[in-house]
Amino acid sequence: MDNQGATADPQLQQFIEIESQKQRFQQLVHQMTEVCWEKCMDKPGPKLDSKTEVCFVNCVERFIDTSQFILNRLEQTQRSRGTFSETMTD
């Protein structure tokens, strides 16, 4: 019985990680939608005019660029802290 729990545990962890990633992605899409809607949508209508469409495209692209920039910066910070920690322990 313990062996079954040990083999299922990595699968469960992987499942939880995948579901967490899905949730983070959905939160990001929701946040992006909210920000861009507030910024670009003057008055809802049956069709988007070209100005509104361009605003949405630019807003989404900037949101993605900014998110990627922040992730890269956090990754660099973690790496530099790891390198700094390693040199401190030497």
Side-chain angles (χ1 to χ4, degrees):
M1 201 157 162
D2 286 329
N3 289 342
Q4 268 187 320
T7 52
D9 203 35
Q11 291 174 344
L12 179 60
Q13 288 176 349
Q14 184 180 14
F15 175 78
I16 290 171
E17 180 59 32
I18 290 169
E19 291 302 311
S20 295
Q21 288 175 356
K22 287 179 186 177
Q23 181 184 17
R24 287 191 297 267
F25 180 75
Q26 288 173 343
Q27 287 172 336
L28 185 65
V29 168
H30 177 73
Q31 183 182 9
M32 178 181 60
T33 302
E34 189 175 319
V35 167
C36 293
W37 182 269
E38 290 296 319
K39 179 177 176 53
C40 298
M41 186 52 87
D42 292 328
K43 53 186 172 198
K47 284 179 67 174
L48 291 179
D49 61 8
S50 61
K51 179 183 168 195
T52 304
E53 186 175 349
V54 168
C55 181
F56 273 116
V57 168
N58 288 335
C59 182
V60 169
E61 287 176 353
R62 294 300 73 79
F63 194 93
I64 291 169
D65 290 346
T66 302
S67 297
Q68 189 62 46
F69 175 80
I70 291 169
L71 287 173
N72 289 340
R73 181 63 68 147
L74 287 171
E75 187 177 293
Q76 288 174 354
T77 302
Q78 285 181 332
R79 275 195 230 140
S80 67
R81 285 185 179 168
T83 305
F84 182 74
S85 301
E86 290 170 7
T87 56
M88 293 295 287
T89 57
D90 287 347

